[in-house]
Amino acid sequence: MSNEIRVRFAPSPTGYLHVGSLRTALYNYLYARKTGGKFILRIEDTDQNRFVKDAVENLLKTLQSLNIDFDEGPQNGGEFGPYFQSERTDIYRKYVDELIAKDAAYPCFCTKEDLQKMREQQKKRGEDFHYDGRCRDLSTKEAEERIANGEKYVVRLKVPKNGECTFYDLVRDKVSIPWKMVDDQVLLKSDGFPTYHLANVVDDHLMRITHVIRGEEWLSSVPKHLFLYDAFGWKPSKMCHLPLLLNSDKSKLSKRQGDVAVEDFLKKGYLKETLINFVALLGWHAKGNKEIYDLNELIKDFSLKRLNKSGAVFDLDKLNWMNKQYLHKLDIDEIAKRAKTFFQEAGYHLEKTEHLKELVEVARQRITTLDEISAFAAPFFKGLEISENDRKILRTDNSQILLKFWLENIQSAKTIDENLINKLLKRSGKELGIKGKHLYPPLRIALYGKPHGPELPTIIDILGKEKVLQRLEKQIKEK
Ligand code: GLU
């Protein structure tokens, strides 16, 4: 058999891509690309109750926009498909029969009411709910008769009752879980659909997955999975469970969609480069202190050996810091292209591409997320909102003299360019004696609405002569 590494991302499409799922997808992707292996996307959609319309398209779109691509999956196919579990239900049945024949699983006829009673009794005794095994030892004859009589049933895993399951995890090393903590898990539901555990193991085997890289919340499922591998006589994949993601207060990362959905971060103007870089560092670090990595550098440096055991804190301040780094670092044309979407959303239209670039160049020094660019640009497109304090600045004698001087000179100028603006700035100092903080803030407030912001030549260039004159005039009290 080939030694090719095969890893998979196996999401259950529940509506949006959680940052934790992005991390799982990314680490699998990086490992596949690093080792020259294959990266497979398998959609685990057997739980019809959790099915959310458009969730798969949404997921694919988000991963695509982050440049995470697959070698096999629903979009590009592959020799181990189909890659939707809901299209593989026929495959699982024969494995269930095999497990029953091997006494590794059994049909269970307990009804919802039976289970409810069981749950209540266990609760009274202060126990966590677990199946008490009452159908474990039904004779084959009885079970077959009840099935033939049309009684509804599920199939459960017959896990050992004593001892413990010991295995090696690439992050946690040796792990032991007592079998008594492992429930007789349902493998096949009464509607004939497999549960996650069965479908996941069968598919990992059939799809020749060599490494299972996923979140720590699945660690406690490993005994069930290894039990299945063993019952089938299959070689298990290597296990690699990624550390939990935590809020800053060390609690488990919030599940509120707005806080953790990758698409929401993108909509808020976090750059895809930032998200990839930031998420890559949630549980992995290379040697040294390097923090800024593009995707290719990550592929080069990534290794499963350097995954952390302890939980990774999702630090919003760090995410913001990193986004600023990328806003500075990325090519101006690229940022301008992306900024356009935010302008369009706000209904702002800039005639000249150079203006867009000028604006973005200034804005990116000051904003944290790209969506802030529309607020930054608003003074060019909407009426100015000048604060009372700033109005006071405009009303001083100095400011009034200054504004009149600029109005007259711009009115009479043939061309308004950087040269002229610089000359006027100098002349304001020489002829009017107005300099520094008495010069720039009043002009900016009159033209842009705020004392700080883009350079005056940029503001004037973007506004154009007519608007400049209108705005200056508006602030001059007596003409
Ligand atoms: N479908 C599971 C999930 O939604 C996959 C877990 C695994 O990778 O085995 O996370």
Side-chain angles (χ1 to χ4, degrees):
M1 239 167 88
S2 95
N3 287 328
E4 184 181 59
I5 297 218
R6 291 176 58 83
V7 290
R8 79 326 190 249
F9 176 47
S12 302
T14 48
Y16 64 94
L17 184 66
H18 189 284
V19 281
S21 306
L22 171 59
R23 183 190 59 175
T24 302
L26 179 63
Y27 285 6
N28 277 285
Y29 168 85
L30 294 175
Y31 191 55
R33 296 293 170 260
K34 164 108 197 174
T35 56
K38 290 276 176 333
F39 183 34
I40 292 118
L41 174 64
R42 181 175 73 226
I43 304 293
E44 302 211 324
D45 57 348
T46 55
D47 190 347
Q48 298 290 308
N49 296 327
R50 289 170 73 203
F51 188 78
V52 179
K53 207 177 157 280
D54 300 335
V56 177
E57 285 97 292
N58 200 20
L59 187 107
L60 291 171
K61 213 174 82 196
T62 307
L63 289 170
Q64 224 164 29
S65 68
L66 295 169
N67 301 350
I68 297 188
D69 57 347
F70 296 91
D71 301 303
E72 294 171 27
Q75 282 172 313
N76 36 358
E79 59 177 306
F80 301 97
Y83 293 90
F84 279 102
Q85 283 188 330
S86 58
E87 291 171 17
R88 301 172 63 83
T89 44
D90 292 347
I91 298 176
Y92 308 117
R93 181 72 234 195
K94 87 167 200 266
Y95 290 104
V96 174
D97 294 340
E98 186 181 331
L99 288 172
I100 297 177
K102 286 178 166 166
D103 201 28
Y106 60 93
C108 165
F109 300 91
C110 291
T111 60
K112 257 196 197 138
E113 293 72 37
D114 294 334
L115 294 174
Q116 187 51 31
K117 250 190 230 152
M118 200 183 293
R119 178 170 284 123
E120 279 158 18
Q121 279 161 1
Q122 290 173 352
K123 203 172 161 194
K124 264 190 215 147
R125 294 199 295 269
E127 296 168 11
D128 285 336
F129 177 66
H130 57 278
Y131 182 65
D132 67 4
R134 66 181 70 167
C135 291
R136 259 173 91 103
D137 298 315
L138 294 181
S139 69
T140 315
K141 192 164 161 273
E142 180 181 346
E144 277 171 2
E145 272 170 18
R146 288 172 76 169
I147 292 172
N149 284 340
E151 221 175 299
K152 275 199 153 189
Y153 69 101
V154 299
V155 176
R156 286 184 185 273
L157 193 62
K158 200 170 188 175
V159 296
K161 284 282 151 221
N162 301 309
E164 50 187 24
C165 174
T166 300
F167 58 92
Y168 283 87
D169 182 83
L170 292 174
V171 176
R172 318 233 126 234
D173 210 29
K174 188 174 165 187
V175 182
S176 286
I177 299 179
W179 281 113
K180 67 170 188 299
M181 288 180 64
V182 184
D183 208 9
D184 278 0
Q185 180 72 49
V186 174
L187 297 176
L188 194 75
K189 291 180 279 186
S190 55
D191 60 6
F193 268 72
T195 58
Y196 154 74
H197 301 277
L198 176 73
N200 185 271
V201 168
V202 167
D203 287 347
D204 278 349
H205 171 72
L206 294 179
M207 295 180 180
R208 307 217 181 127
I209 300 304
T210 55
H211 295 67
V212 165
I213 304 170
R214 63 185 168 194
E216 189 175 296
E217 62 273 26
W218 299 104
L219 191 69
S220 60
S221 296
V222 175
K224 295 171 198 169
H225 297 181
L226 292 180
F227 182 79
L228 284 169
Y229 278 106
D230 193 47
F232 289 125
W234 297 337
K235 182 172 174 247
S237 325
K238 287 203 168 70
M239 296 292 165
C240 179
H241 288 83
L242 308 172
L244 287 178
L245 294 185
L246 308 173
N247 294 309
S248 305
D249 64 359
K250 301 281 158 82
S251 58
K252 207 175 161 203
L253 189 63
S254 138
K255 281 216 155 108
R256 275 185 307 162
Q257 172 162 354
D259 298 340
V260 292
V262 174
E263 44 269 55
D264 288 350
F265 280 108
L266 288 168
K267 267 188 226 139
K268 279 184 221 156
Y270 288 97
L271 304 171
K272 59 181 179 178
E273 291 80 359
T274 309
L275 287 175
I276 290 287
N277 191 158
F278 177 75
V279 165
L281 299 182
L282 291 175
W284 169 85
H285 66 279
K287 281 192 198 122
N289 296 327
K290 185 169 151 128
E291 300 242 56
I292 299 293
Y293 286 90
D294 67 24
L295 201 52
N296 287 329
E297 290 168 321
L298 285 172
I299 293 172
K300 195 169 135 271
D301 284 0
F302 186 74
S303 106
L304 296 180
K305 288 204 183 82
R306 298 194 65 85
L307 292 173
N308 303 334
K309 274 196 190 60
S310 49
V313 173
F314 189 95
D315 179 353
L316 208 55
D317 290 339
K318 183 166 177 186
L319 178 67
N320 287 336
W321 168 82
M322 203 176 263
N323 208 50
K324 273 170 164 283
Q325 305 299 307
Y326 277 102
L327 280 169
H328 283 248
K329 187 172 135 76
L330 290 185
D331 182 53
I332 182 70
D333 289 313
E334 182 56 33
I335 303 271
K337 201 169 103 194
R338 296 189 203 176
K340 244 187 180 168
T341 321
F342 292 101
F343 281 168
Q344 274 158 4
E345 267 168 27
Y348 300 158
H349 175 70
L350 276 167
E351 305 261 309
K352 294 195 204 151
T353 323
E354 312 95 79
H355 285 163
L356 175 70
K357 272 213 260 183
E358 271 171 355
L359 195 65
V360 171
E361 184 57 57
V362 185
R364 71 168 168 175
Q365 321 288 336
R366 292 159 208 268
I367 59 177
T368 303
T369 49
L370 200 52
D371 64 338
E372 289 167 21
I373 199 148
S374 42
F376 187 84
F380 294 109
F381 302 98
K382 300 203 299 197
L384 299 182
E385 284 168 25
I386 302 175
S387 74
E388 199 35 53
N389 238 355
D390 290 341
R391 283 189 191 285
K392 272 189 205 146
I393 298 179
L394 292 182
R395 285 197 291 263
T396 61
D397 291 346
N398 251 342
S399 298
Q400 289 293 313
I401 294 171
L402 180 74
L403 297 181
K404 272 183 214 152
F405 176 79
W406 278 69
L407 179 74
E408 281 156 17
N409 280 288
I410 289 185
Q411 233 158 11
S412 58
K414 277 204 193 83
T415 33
I416 304 166
D417 54 12
E418 202 169 339
N419 204 4
L420 173 84
I421 309 296
N422 288 333
K423 261 192 205 146
L424 286 180
L425 286 168
K426 266 198 200 125
R427 284 180 57 201
S428 303
K430 269 199 195 143
E431 296 170 28
L432 309 175
I434 301 178
K435 288 185 189 160
K437 70 174 178 134
H438 300 293
L439 171 63
Y440 293 92
L443 287 171
R444 267 213 199 87
I445 296 169
L447 296 172
Y448 177 74
K450 294 180 181 70
H452 306 288
E455 295 301 325
L456 275 173
T458 308
I459 297 177
I460 291 173
D461 192 28
I462 294 176
L463 287 174
K465 183 170 179 174
E466 208 176 308
K467 262 197 184 159
V468 169
L469 294 176
Q470 274 168 12
R471 287 186 178 189
L472 289 171
E473 242 164 34
K474 195 165 174 198
Q475 303 307 336
I476 296 171
K477 298 296 159 215
E478 351 106 33
K479 288 174 206 133

